[in-house]
């Protein structure tokens, strides 16, 4: 790792991991939340929040405070043998889950394995100076560890969240965004989240849309050694960044569409997160609109693209109660309020048009 003196004497292409960790912006910390009482202003916040000590009393957190072996033993008691999805990387990737050098694949192998054996492998390599990267990616906790939520849960059932567990040794997940809101609970080991508001997308240099680790577009900037010659606008992103340092038992609320770079900082790290959407289930993923726009709009002549931009602004982005007030209610059709029935009809129309 380069020291500050070396950085100062270089061509200013790289900063150290300490520089990233010492970003001025810090996520606001609040205390007093409990698993059974998370205020509505937290759940609807448009800014990230650290929920200090939110799950510190969970049994899994308490077991991890005793030792990594105790945490593994606690997890294994719920495991029923269903293979879990894992990523395994050579020591040389130093925990960075990313592409291979020529972007023809990834720098890790994706497999499904027995969780018990994988957890034991994490413990076995813990003292190696450069261990392989071992990472259990998002796994629905009720499927893989049934019963674990009985004593380790947040009272969010009315939001119908997807509850997932992530397990690994030291690793770092490139900055990306998610559509759902997210409460991420650091239950074993420390984590660092570096967050950016949605408008920083261009400054984060997102990669391919669908060909990406986890299937979600990621920033191509290496946060441990950002190349400012190749990614000059990343400096602007750093100016807007907020850092959340989580101890075991802490959680962070990440609003929808906020970019977040995630670092697992200890030899064993376990995170449980809650994802939920604020919109009805019948509304499809907005990314579908982007994919369709690539097919139909991106390569139009500039004048036509501008015309369609105006149309989207009128009907979608700038729409309010006055947009269609001049149209009789009985004639609004899909411009009116959508419900499950109307959404089904609209999807059927889209399918018919796409299959012509």
């Amino acid at each position: 790792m380069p020291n500050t003196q070396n950085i100062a004497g270089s061509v200013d292409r790289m900063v150290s991991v300490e520089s990233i960790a010492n970003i001025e912006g810090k996520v606001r910390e609040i205390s007093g939340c409990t698993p059974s009482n998370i205020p509505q202003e937290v759940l609807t916040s448009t800014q990230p929040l650290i929920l200090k000590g939110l799950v510190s009393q969970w049994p899994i957190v308490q077991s991890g405070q005793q030792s990594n072996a105790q945490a593994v033993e606690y997890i294994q008691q719920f495991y029923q043998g269903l293979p879990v999805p894992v990523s395994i990387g050579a020591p040389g990737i130093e925990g960075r889950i990313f592409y291979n050098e020529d972007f023809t694949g990834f720098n890790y192998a994706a497999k499904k394995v027995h969780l018990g054996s994988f957890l034991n492998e994490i413990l076995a390599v813990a003292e190696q100076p450069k261990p392989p990267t071992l990472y259990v990616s998002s796994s629905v906790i009720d499927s893989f560890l049934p019963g674990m939520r009985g004593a380790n849960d947040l009272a969010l059932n009315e939001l119908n969240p997807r509850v997932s567990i992530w397990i690994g040794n030291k690793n770092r997940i490139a900055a990306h965004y998610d559509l759902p809101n997210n409460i991420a609970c650091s239950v074993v080991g420390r984590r660092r989240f570096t967050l950016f508001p949605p408008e920083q997308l261009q400054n984060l240099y997102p990669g391919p849309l669908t060909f990406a680790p986890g299937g979600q577009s990621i920033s191509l900037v290496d946060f441990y050694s950002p190349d400012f010659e190749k990614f000059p606008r990343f400096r602007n992103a750093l100016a807007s960044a907020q850092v959340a340092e989580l101890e075991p038992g802490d959680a962070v609320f990440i609003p929808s569409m906020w970019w977040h770079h995630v670092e697992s900082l200890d030899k064993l790290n376990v995170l449980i997160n809650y994802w939920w959407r604020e919109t009805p289930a019948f509304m499809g993923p907005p990314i579908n609109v982007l994919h369709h726009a690539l097919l139909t709009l991106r390569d139009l002549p500039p004048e036509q693209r501008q015309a369609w931009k105006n149309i989207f602004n009128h009907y979608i982005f700038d729409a309010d109660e006055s947009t269609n007030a001049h149209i009789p209610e009985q004639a609004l059709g899909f411009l009116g309020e959508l419900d499950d029935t109307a959404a089904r009809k609209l999807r059927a129309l889209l399918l018919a048009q796409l299959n012509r």
Side-chain angles (χ1 to χ4, degrees):
M1 182 188 306
N3 61 35
T4 354
Q5 186 175 3
N6 289 337
I7 294 169
S10 73
V11 292
D12 200 25
R13 292 178 63 226
M14 304 174 103
V15 296
S16 70
V17 60
E18 287 88 352
S19 298
I20 296 296
N22 290 327
I23 290 169
E24 286 189 15
K26 305 296 181 184
V27 173
R28 184 163 72 91
E29 183 178 298
I30 63 174
S31 57
C33 298
T34 66
S36 60
N37 183 22
I38 301 176
Q40 190 65 20
E41 53 265 32
V42 170
L43 301 176
T44 57
S45 175
T46 58
Q47 294 288 318
L49 298 167
I50 293 174
L51 311 180
K52 192 66 181 174
L54 175 68
V55 297
S56 59
Q57 299 306 309
W58 279 1
I60 186 174
V61 176
Q62 297 294 313
S63 67
Q65 298 285 41
Q66 296 177 52
S67 70
N68 288 343
Q70 288 285 337
V72 165
E73 182 179 342
Y74 183 84
I75 294 169
Q76 286 181 332
Q77 68 178 304
F78 299 100
Y79 183 55
Q80 302 297 309
L82 187 67
V84 296
V86 302
S87 303
I88 303 173
I93 74 171
E94 297 182 336
R96 189 188 186 205
I97 303 294
F98 199 64
Y99 295 94
N100 60 15
E101 288 190 6
D102 60 4
F103 278 69
T104 58
F106 304 116
N107 66 353
Y108 59 89
K111 301 180 180 180
K112 288 191 174 182
V113 302
H114 186 278
L115 178 61
S117 301
F118 199 72
L119 290 172
N120 289 332
E121 180 66 13
I122 292 175
L123 294 180
V125 303
E127 300 308 320
Q128 294 182 10
K130 288 189 176 182
T133 296
L134 304 173
Y135 174 58
V136 179
S137 53
S138 175
S139 301
V140 176
I141 198 167
D142 287 339
S143 298
F144 294 96
L145 299 169
M148 185 170 167
R149 285 176 63 191
N152 306 273
D153 202 12
L154 301 180
L156 299 176
N157 289 339
E158 72 282 358
L159 297 174
N160 192 29
R162 173 190 168 105
V163 187
S164 297
I165 191 166
W166 315 66
I167 307 171
N169 54 6
K170 290 184 180 181
N171 59 65
R172 47 195 175 110
I173 307 304
H176 61 284
Y177 67 87
D178 298 305
L179 174 62
N181 290 313
N182 184 4
I183 292 181
C185 307
S186 183
V187 296
V188 179
R190 297 166 299 122
R191 298 235 174 194
R192 178 187 297 125
F193 286 75
T194 307
L195 299 109
F196 305 85
E199 61 267 22
Q200 290 301 315
L201 179 147
Q202 292 178 322
N203 296 330
L204 290 167
Y205 297 90
L209 277 179
T210 54
F211 173 55
Q216 176 66 48
S217 179
I218 63 172
S219 169
L220 299 188
V221 181
D222 184 348
F223 278 35
Y224 278 20
S225 56
D227 184 339
F228 290 114
E229 291 182 353
K230 187 174 182 180
F231 306 116
R233 294 193 307 274
F234 184 59
R235 290 188 186 281
N236 299 330
L238 287 175
S240 298
Q242 298 182 37
V243 173
E245 303 270 1
L246 302 186
E247 297 292 329
D250 295 342
V252 60
F253 170 75
I254 305 173
S256 171
M257 305 302 289
W258 272 68
W259 288 77
H260 47 287
H261 175 272
V262 189
E263 300 166 72
S264 302
L265 302 175
D266 288 313
K267 296 171 183 177
L268 174 67
N269 296 269
V270 182
L271 179 136
I272 296 175
N273 83 300
Y274 293 73
W275 272 316
W276 72 93
R277 290 185 61 177
E278 297 174 300
T279 50
F282 63 76
M283 291 182 63
I287 191 68
N288 292 348
V289 180
L290 179 59
H291 292 158
H292 198 182
L294 291 171
L295 177 67
T296 59
L297 296 179
R298 184 191 61 183
D299 296 328
L300 289 175
E303 296 79 7
Q304 293 182 32
R305 285 206 312 272
Q306 182 60 50
W308 279 103
K309 182 178 180 180
N310 293 337
I311 290 173
F312 269 76
N313 284 340
H314 177 76
Y315 286 107
I316 307 297
F317 300 112
D318 297 334
D320 58 25
E321 63 279 356
S322 68
T323 301
N324 302 307
H326 58 287
I327 302 175
E329 185 175 353
Q330 66 274 17
L332 282 172
F334 294 130
L335 293 176
E337 186 173 346
L338 287 179
D339 56 17
D340 185 67
T341 300
R344 289 176 183 274
K345 291 179 180 178
L346 187 50
R347 279 195 295 271
L349 174 64
L350 287 171
L351 286 170
Q353 292 173 337
L354 285 170
N355 289 327
R356 283 180 181 174

